[in-house]
Amino acid sequence: MENNEHLRWMRAAMDMAEEALGAGEVPVGCVFVRDGRIIAQARNRTNELRNATRHAELEAIDCILADKALTAEPSNSPLSTTTLYVTVEPCIMCASALRQMEIKEVFYGCGNDRFGGCGSVLGVNEQVAHPVHPPYKAAGGFCREDAIMILRRFYITENTNAPVPRSKANRVLKTDINPLSSVET
């Protein structure tokens, strides 16, 4: 697949991240692609639903599993012909769920130095042995700078949903991006 195709899908994921930002969520968005078309797209909804498990990836997986046209038959590998594009490396929880659903492959924007499940913290996708579910390939760096900048835009704002909001009145949006870093919040 050409990089232009990856960028097309990553831009769609970035649109979902922008939607998340507008809703006051950590701006992570994703699209699931099968047979050259988006079959599900989602954004983080953890603040909205007051549920820490409502990450973009899990929101989209729920949509896929609920749609009989996309998962007509019960299967141990409902995502085996599906590719995920997500703005930030899946966390350990999501990376594990993706492996259990037997995702074909994952492409992401920036790494996740705190919770990354595709190698930044723990390689749940392929470095951890699993007795049943095969590993999947994950590659980062697609729209990386855009993914970092949208996270920075979120993290300089007041998070009114935080248990103890911290004043961020003096924070300034950094626009320089180190080529070796992941998120740089």
Side-chain angles (χ1 to χ4, degrees), residues 56-68:
E57 300 94 327
L58 298 182
E59 286 285 305
I61 287 170
D62 283 353
C63 291
I64 293 167
L65 295 178
D67 188 335
K68 295 288 185 190

Side-chain angles (χ1 to χ4, degrees), residues 88-111:
V88 177
E89 174 187 3
C91 71
I92 293 169
M93 172 184 69
C94 291
S96 179
L98 291 164
R99 185 156 182 188
Q100 292 174 52
M101 304 295 284
E102 298 189 5
I103 190 83
K104 179 180 173 184
E105 57 192 343
V106 173
F107 297 95
Y108 58 90
C110 63

